[in-house]
Amino acid sequence: MDKGRMRTRLLRILDLTPPLKDILLSRDTLESKRDRIRQLLEDMLQVTYDENFSIPSLECILIRDAISVFKDILSVRNERLANHSFIKYLEDLIHHGDSRDLPMPSAGFFKELEHLLLCITGKPGVYSDRVSKFEECEGRRAAKLRSAELSRMMRKALKFMNRYPCGLDDETIRRRKRNKRRILKYFKASEQDWEKWKWHTRHIIRDADTLAALVRLTDEEYRGVKLAREYGVPFGITPYYLSLLDNEAGKGKDAAVRAQVIPSQHYVTRMKERREQSKDSMDFMMERDTSPIDGITRRYPAILILKPVMTCPQICVYCQRNWEIEDVYSSHAAIGKEKLDEAVQWIANTPEINEVLITGGDPFLLSDTKIENLLSRLARMDHVERIRIGTRTPVTLPQRITRNLVADINRFHIPGKREVVIVTHFEHPYEITPQAMKAVQMFRRCGMDVYNQLVYTFFNSRKFEAAFLRHKLRLIGVTPYYTFNTKGKDETDDYRVPIARLLQEQKEEARLLPGTVRTDEIVFNVPRLGKNYLRAWQHHDVISILPDGRRVYEFHPWEKKLELVDTYVHTDVSIHEYLKRLKSVGDKPADYKTIWYYY
Ligand code: SF4
């Protein structure tokens, strides 16, 4: 867009709020403009809340929220934190738009500005009918109208959910049986071999040519895997998980499953560059600052993470520990006896800890004996009342959940004394298979809970996609626990989803499901400090909008009001770019139109 057209577009958007346009066009100083805009926003709020009683309540709230965001963005403190002045940028665009140093506003920036102004002026266009009809009636008539509205709402939700494939569908089960036969034939193996987890770990597919011989790949996928091996970026797929891929390059229903494990060239190249810089630069969560001793991470008063092994049967592309995992199912990834002994002793000496999360990597890659031994040492500590085991094997290698393993673990699950729970990681309903369900049920039938941690990525973020996953998870016995925002690492940009989408999903999609299904909490993991509960608006603020359309957030640490620790500033991904990608995969941006009004 040339500078003239850019200015015209900007002025047209500012026409939504003529007084704001006048202020920006004036020759006042920046500080005077800031004060005048603040006063304008105050006046608008006063009209909304104290004078114009014809505005419906929910619209008043939308206006109030948008005004509050605008005021936050205006603050000098927030400008310093974000290292960007939204108001100065607008002023520069108007008065010095020709300057070569000025970054051009992106389409995403214009969209953000437009929606902010639409909302503060009470024209967001969120509600079609001003008042729901049942509000005007009483008794049975009201109930019938309400019931019809609720059914309409649910039918709409089901229309979306019915689009998504599930691994329990009959047709999918048949397809995967064919996939299994094809894989077994390639490896000259038998059905009995398929049932043994060690057979799968021995036959993890680690290179592009073997993968291409087993399943059709797109050129991008082939090159991504080829480069991964060349650059030493961990890559592997278990034969079982490979059977979940449709044998159609780029055209199947398996996009989410492929994206889970097949790295893009962008990812692999960025990983190589980052590794060359320093390993520490990849530690996005800054675990190095929260590890009091090798093998342990502690971010909370009563819980810690114990990492006995730093490898998995396959690697999730967006894994937050990709800086620690050297290779897939690597023989030297266990922490080593001496270090593990020291870590266990550290827990024994720290009576404040009552919950230990054993993760990694995937602890179920350890032998039954090693797992039992570790559990029995933790079980000897009276202060350890809960042991959580984080594992994705029910999804990637369900054969690992053997009768012996479950019995060995269940021995330590003693109601009233100590709880042992499994935390797994299903990402998509296409990963829910009869085998995965069987693995989950083996724990459930002996009284142990199985929870799910979902990482909300582009590939499972379409309308009602995560809601459908939660619905299916409950049916197989898994309780949704956390939904994590994808970490803001640039190598995994392709996976990231705007914070506003997580909030929208919870409010407009998850909320339609029964409380027993939407049991998870949406969280943003603050590096060094830990989880910020996104649902609570008072725990984060939008503090700026950048020329490229990305919002800047300030996150408050969980111990706010307990300890004086720093807040965390995070730059999100552009909502406009996200919607464009959704469109490229066949979704309608109009279905997400309220996303702009989540902050
Ligand atoms: S299962 Fe967990 S630890 Fe293993 S690669 Fe995936 S996200 Fe990382």
Side-chain angles (χ1 to χ4, degrees):
M1 192 191 303
D2 65 39
K3 305 236 161 159
R5 280 177 54 209
M6 176 275 291
R7 194 167 187 277
T8 311
R9 183 166 180 195
L10 176 61
L11 293 178
R12 206 178 314 126
I13 294 172
L14 291 175
D15 279 339
L16 290 165
T17 329
L20 175 68
K21 185 178 176 184
D22 291 344
I23 296 171
L24 288 168
L25 282 172
S26 75
R27 289 285 164 189
D28 285 2
T29 63
L30 183 68
E31 287 322 303
S32 161
K33 284 179 187 166
R34 195 192 305 276
D35 288 345
R36 287 178 64 198
I37 296 172
R38 275 197 186 117
Q39 190 55 53
L40 172 69
L41 294 172
E42 280 303 326
D43 294 347
M44 292 169 93
L45 192 62
Q46 189 176 338
V47 171
T48 309
Y49 270 71
D50 298 326
E51 293 169 25
N52 184 352
F53 299 112
S54 66
I55 306 173
S57 298
L58 289 182
E59 286 189 358
C60 286
I61 292 165
L62 279 178
I63 296 169
R64 181 204 59 190
D65 291 352
I67 287 177
S68 166
V69 167
F70 203 160
K71 279 167 46 185
D72 278 346
I73 288 174
L74 282 179
S75 109
V76 177
R77 173 188 176 271
N78 288 345
E79 287 181 352
R80 286 184 180 186
L81 282 178
N83 202 18
H84 175 72
S85 168
F86 177 75
I87 196 71
K88 168 110 179 47
Y89 182 60
L90 280 180
E91 188 194 45
D92 284 345
L93 287 176
I94 291 173
H95 295 287
H96 315 287
D98 291 338
S99 162
R100 271 205 271 136
D101 300 335
L102 197 63
M104 279 284 276
S106 66
F109 176 83
F110 281 133
K111 286 275 176 207
E112 284 281 6
L113 178 65
E114 184 178 357
H115 286 286
L116 188 60
L117 301 191
L118 280 171
C119 206
I120 63 170
T121 50
K123 293 179 280 239
V126 169
Y127 307 106
S128 44
D129 293 322
R130 291 195 84 74
V131 182
S132 155
K133 278 201 190 112
F134 101 99
E135 298 261 20
E136 295 160 2
C137 307
E138 287 183 344
R140 185 58 52 82
R141 170 138 179 80
K144 283 185 175 170
L145 284 169
R146 177 68 171 152
S147 179
E149 276 177 15
L150 294 172
S151 288
R152 184 165 41 80
M153 229 184 251
M154 200 57 208
R155 278 198 301 274
K156 202 170 157 196
L158 289 171
K159 222 166 128 187
F160 280 104
M161 290 198 224
N162 289 339
R163 287 183 191 172
Y164 304 118
C166 174
L168 296 177
D169 299 340
D170 290 344
E171 196 248 313
T172 308
I173 292 173
R174 282 195 293 276
R175 177 195 295 252
R176 285 166 176 180
K177 277 190 181 149
R178 290 197 295 275
N179 291 347
K180 177 168 99 173
R181 282 199 293 272
R182 193 178 69 246
I183 296 166
L184 285 175
K185 192 170 165 204
Y186 179 89
F187 287 115
K188 299 187 180 59
S190 65
E191 292 274 347
Q192 288 77 10
D193 290 328
W194 190 264
E195 298 310 317
K196 296 178 196 144
W197 71 278
K198 292 263 180 180
W199 180 86
H200 286 267
T201 51
R202 270 199 307 275
H203 292 86
I204 289 171
I205 296 106
R206 294 167 182 263
D207 67 279
D209 291 318
T210 311
L211 186 63
L214 281 161
V215 71
R216 291 190 187 98
L217 299 175
T218 62
D219 291 347
E220 161 74 23
E221 287 169 338
Y222 179 81
R223 280 197 296 270
V225 176
K226 192 105 188 150
L227 276 185
R229 289 328 292 180
E230 204 176 309
Y231 296 160
V233 174
F235 165 79
I237 305 187
T238 63
Y240 166 79
Y241 199 81
L242 185 69
S243 76
L244 309 193
L245 271 61
D246 300 339
N247 196 16
E248 299 167 52
K251 289 192 221 113
K253 301 172 180 172
D254 59 350
V257 170
R258 284 183 182 233
Q260 188 61 28
V261 68
I262 301 181
S264 68
Q265 291 182 78
H266 164 77
Y267 171 80
V268 175
T269 314
R270 285 298 294 132
M271 281 287 284
K272 176 178 179 268
E273 288 163 7
R274 279 184 162 272
R275 280 185 166 185
E276 283 165 2
Q277 283 162 10
S278 83
K279 212 171 159 187
D280 283 353
S281 75
M282 296 165 63
D283 176 13
F284 183 81
M285 284 304 293
M286 302 177 81
E287 292 205 46
R288 63 189 180 279
D289 292 344
T290 48
S291 173
I293 185 167
D294 281 355
I296 285 180
T297 300
R298 184 183 186 189
R299 297 192 201 111
Y300 305 104
I303 312 166
L304 60 68
I305 292 172
L306 175 64
K307 298 181 286 187
V309 59
M310 286 317 300
T311 190
C312 290
Q314 58 183 50
I315 307 299
C316 310
V317 177
Y318 51 76
C319 175
Q320 80 174 44
R321 303 224 166 88
N322 61 5
W323 63 286
E324 277 184 300
I325 294 178
E326 299 277 343
D327 202 1
V328 172
Y329 194 58
S330 144
S331 54
H332 51 268
I335 185 177
K337 188 179 174 321
E338 203 176 309
K339 281 188 177 169
L340 185 62
D341 287 350
E342 282 168 13
V344 170
Q345 191 54 46
W346 195 91
I347 301 171
N349 295 341
T350 314
E352 296 80 19
I353 297 298
N354 63 33
E355 179 162 332
V356 175
L357 165 59
I358 308 175
T359 179
D362 200 317
F364 280 177
L365 288 188
L366 296 171
S367 67
D368 290 5
T369 315
K370 283 193 173 142
I371 293 170
E372 197 193 5
N373 185 275
L374 179 57
L375 291 177
S376 91
R377 290 163 77 190
L378 293 172
R380 263 178 249 136
M381 302 172 198
D382 286 341
H383 57 282
V384 175
E385 294 174 335
R386 185 171 305 100
I387 301 171
R388 261 195 276 163
I389 305 177
T391 175
R392 191 162 141 77
T393 53
V395 188
T396 57
L397 186 61
Q399 293 84 348
R400 174 65 185 106
I401 314 304
T402 60
R403 220 174 290 222
N404 278 351
L405 177 73
V406 174
D408 284 348
I409 295 172
N410 192 242
R411 224 161 46 78
F412 301 99
H413 175 70
I414 303 170
K417 183 171 167 39
R418 186 186 321 101
E419 190 185 12
V420 182
V421 300
I422 305 298
V423 182
T424 189
H425 176 185
F426 283 91
E427 277 288 282
H428 199 273
Y430 215 38
E431 292 180 331
I432 299 177
T433 65
Q435 297 87 343
M437 177 167 71
K438 186 177 157 212
V440 168
Q441 282 298 316
M442 284 170 75
F443 289 110
R444 292 305 309 275
R445 283 175 194 273
C446 59
M448 292 171 63
D449 281 323
V450 180
Y451 293 97
N452 194 58
Q453 299 199 144
L454 171 68
V455 179
Y456 200 60
T457 76
F458 175 79
F459 301 97
N460 55 20
S461 72
R462 289 173 296 170
K463 205 86 182 167
F464 287 100
E465 200 164 19
F468 184 52
L469 171 64
R470 294 183 195 105
H471 164 73
K472 288 289 178 188
L473 283 176
R474 280 302 300 170
L475 285 177
I476 67 162
V478 179
T479 306
Y481 177 45
Y482 279 127
T483 293
F484 287 100
N485 176 59
T486 317
K487 305 289 175 297
K489 308 191 293 184
D490 58 1
E491 69 269 23
T492 50
D493 270 353
D494 294 349
Y495 290 76
R496 293 177 64 195
V497 173
I499 303 272
R501 176 69 191 119
L502 276 105
L503 296 165
Q504 182 187 43
E505 197 277 328
Q506 281 289 305
K507 190 81 193 81
E508 297 177 24
E509 297 151 50
R511 186 65 184 82
L512 267 52
L513 302 176
T516 45
V517 173
R518 56 179 161 84
T519 45
D520 52 342
E521 189 65 54
I522 47 167
V523 288
F524 176 91
N525 233 338
V526 178
R528 276 180 119 190
L529 297 174
K531 295 177 190 66
N532 172 296
Y533 283 46
L534 281 170
R535 225 189 284 245
W537 194 22
Q538 68 269 33
H539 294 165
H540 67 266
D541 302 292
V542 175
I543 57 169
S544 197
I545 298 168
L546 302 181
D548 60 9
R550 293 181 300 160
R551 292 178 180 179
V552 183
Y553 283 85
E554 181 181 21
F555 284 100
H556 311 183
W558 65 263
E559 64 255 65
K560 174 174 151 182
K561 299 201 174 106
L562 290 171
E563 293 286 336
L564 188 61
V565 283
D566 246 349
T567 57
Y568 178 74
V569 175
H570 167 81
T571 304
D572 204 11
V573 282
S574 149
I575 293 179
H576 175 69
E577 292 302 321
Y578 170 71
L579 294 179
K580 255 173 57 184
R581 276 189 82 194
L582 284 175
K583 195 173 172 196
S584 74
V585 296
D587 268 30
K588 292 190 200 129
D591 288 333
Y592 301 80
K593 67 176 183 180
T594 57
I595 189 171
W596 302 98
Y597 309 122
Y598 287 91
Y599 305 108

